[in-house]
Each structure stands twice: as C-alpha cells, then as structure tokens.
Amino acid sequence: MRFKDKVAIVTGGASGQGLETCRGFARDGGKVVVADWNYEAAQKAAEEIGGLAVKVDVSREEQVKAMVDTAVQNFGRLDVLVNNAGIGFSASGRYKMASVVETPGDDWDAIMAINLKSVGMACKHAIPVMVGQGGGAIVNIASINGIAGLTGADAYTASKGGIVALTRVLALDWARKGVRVNCVCPGVVATPMIEGVLDDPGFLNMVETRIPLGRPGRPEEIAAVSLFLASDEASFVHGAIIPVDGGQVAP
Ligand code: NAD
C-alpha cells in the first residue's frame, strides 16, 4: 500500500503504459485521476480501478489546468503527476512521423504541443499545489529517442529530447521545495502506439538485432519503474533519466 492516501494524475491513462500505471497506483492504495482525451476509454479504466476519469487534451493549457483543479477538488491534494500522454507512430495517419525534411510545419507544431508543451503546462499547474502541501513527485515519460539517435520521426524525437532536458531543469528548480522529478525513457513497448508494426518483418528484425533482451517490453514493465519513481522508495532519486529498453541504448 505504498500509495495509501496519495493522489495521482496519470495523463494518457486510458491505454498502454499509462493504463498499467493507473492500475499499479490503485493496487497500492492510491487515488487515481485517469486523464485522457479518449474519455470513453478513460471512463472504462476509471471504473475498473475505482478512479476518476477526466477528459483532457494535454496540449491545451486551460484543459490541463482544469485537470489539476479537478484532482484537487475531488481528492483534496495532489501527490504524483505522471506525464505519460503522447502520440507516436499510431498517430501517423494524422501527423506525419518522418524526417525533418518531410515533416509539415503544422504537424511539427502539433507533435511538440501534445508531447512536450503538455509536460510543461501540467508541471506549471501541478507544482504550486505540490509545493503548497509540502512536496510531490513528477514522472515524465520520454523515450529512448530522446537520448539516442533513432531515425524516422524527427519531431517526435525532438519532443522527447525536450522532455529529458525539461526534467533536468525542473529537478534543479524544485528540489528544495520537495518536488522530485524524474524521467523514464521507454524503448520498444508492445502497446497500441506501435501495434501496427508488431508483426512487420522489418520490425521483428530490428527487435532481434537491436534489443539485447531480444523482445519488446510489456507496458507493466514501464509502469513498474514509473511507480517506483513516484513512491517514497525513490526518495533519493531525482533528476534521473532512466532507459527502460531491454538494453537497446546500452551499446
Ligand atoms: P498508447 O497509445 O497506448 O497510449 C497513449 C495514451 O495517450 C492514449 O490513451 C491516448 O488517448 C493518450 N493521448 C494521446 N494524446 C493525448 C492528448 N493530446 N491528450 C490526452 N491524452 C492523449 O501509447 P503508449 O505506448 O502507452 O505510450 C505512452 C507514452 O510512452 C507516450 O508518451 C509514448 O510516446 C511513450 N513511449 C512509447 C513507446 C512504445 O514503444 N510504446 C516507446 C517510447 C516511448
């Protein structure tokens, strides 16, 4: 019950890694706000774990502020923020995931807003609440794209590199106010975000040749690290950028 009496917001909590993270918080006694722009899926998840669903487009500051306000109004405090919502290859029908030369400027803006500005805005509105109550923990979900050169989705990569950099400066700014900030960099994880390529021979070859453990991760394997970072067990872990990738960026 490591999250007993704790309140957590998980953005993108309706699917994949976010959903597993919500389940983990609830399992360990936490009260969870499942925040997602897919409200139907968020409601389903919230019903399953006894949490609260909030509809939010994390790229919109006023909606992000309302998300934080709703958490505090309903549960009286906010201890944990997991900035997990993001778009990647599964959104490529809507936003082009490509090299910088091939990425339309509007798509670049949208990807940066959803993946990176969102983290800044959620922190902007959550941190004062956490500081006011004596502290809290923030876990940002970036990607190994943010720490290693991986081709094919340059705006996505830039947004994830931005999350890594933002984590570091947040860690410096808020340490003495009791807010710990860390970053998880998932590698290839079998979630709806990449389900379109899971059977692709090129993808399977990449998994075999590039991932030392020889398989994609499972969403609960990312959630486990996020939950550790959010918990008091990680009380001296701060400003850490942690790859969870089966060894892909080890070479
Ligand atoms: P997913 O697609 O299963 O889940 C993402 C969730 O975020 C969805 O529920 C979606 O509705 C929500 N979301 C997307 N944009 C949103 C917005 N603007 N406002 C609110 N909610 C929004 O994907 P996942 O694999 O669980 O991804 C979680 C995080 O992990 C993402 O930030 C992703 O970039 C990162 N990541 C994933 C992988 C991977 O291989 N799956 C690898 C590296 C990093």
Side-chain angles (χ1 to χ4, degrees):
M1 298 298 274
R2 59 187 162 163
F3 298 114
K4 190 172 179 301
D5 301 326
K6 297 266 173 87
V7 177
I9 294 175
V10 181
T11 69
S15 173
Q17 300 167 46
L19 176 57
E20 288 304 328
T21 306
C22 289
R23 285 176 172 145
F25 276 121
R27 201 170 44 235
D28 289 353
K31 299 189 181 80
V32 187
V33 173
V34 184
D36 208 290
W37 63 2
N38 183 343
Y39 187 55
E40 208 180 307
Q43 276 184 311
K44 193 164 165 251
E47 206 170 293
E48 176 197 316
I49 64 169
L52 178 69
V54 170
K55 183 173 170 62
V56 60
D57 175 349
V58 292
S59 68
R60 305 284 300 274
E61 182 179 357
E62 75 282 5
Q63 294 186 28
V64 169
K65 180 181 184 309
M67 169 187 80
V68 172
D69 290 347
T70 302
V72 175
Q73 278 156 16
N74 278 272
F75 297 126
R77 55 189 294 115
L78 178 60
D79 302 284
V80 174
L81 169 66
V82 181
N83 285 307
N84 164 81
I87 51 166
F89 283 107
S90 62
S92 51
R94 192 161 170 201
Y95 306 110
K96 195 154 187 186
M97 299 290 160
S99 78
V100 73
V101 172
E102 296 159 324
T103 306
D106 288 348
D107 292 16
W108 182 278
D109 288 345
I111 294 164
M112 295 299 275
I114 293 171
N115 286 0
L116 176 58
K117 180 187 172 194
S118 59
V119 179
M121 294 304 100
C123 290
K124 173 179 173 179
H125 293 288
I127 285 172
V129 176
M130 291 176 172
V131 170
Q133 70 192 20
I138 295 173
V139 180
N140 295 328
I141 308 299
S143 165
I144 55 169
N145 288 51
I147 49 178
L150 296 169
T151 60
D154 291 5
Y156 178 87
T157 294
S159 71
K160 294 303 187 178
I163 293 174
V164 169
L166 184 58
T167 299
R168 291 195 170 112
V169 73
L170 287 166
L172 293 179
D173 285 347
W174 298 102
R176 299 300 173 99
K177 301 283 185 188
V179 181
R180 284 189 307 105
V181 190
N182 291 290
C183 180
V184 176
C185 293
V188 176
V189 185
T191 70
M193 182 168 278
I194 61 160
E195 69 187 359
V197 300
L198 282 174
D199 296 328
D200 183 77
F203 173 80
L204 293 171
N205 182 52
M206 184 280 287
V207 167
E208 183 57 32
T209 56
R210 298 279 303 276
I211 303 178
L213 286 184
R215 64 170 176 85
R218 296 185 295 272
E220 58 271 27
E221 293 177 308
I222 309 302
V225 179
S226 300
L227 292 163
F228 164 70
L229 291 172
S231 77
D232 291 342
E233 292 167 340
S235 51
F236 201 52
V237 186
H238 185 58
I241 312 298
I242 303 180
V244 185
D245 65 347
Q248 191 173 346
V249 297

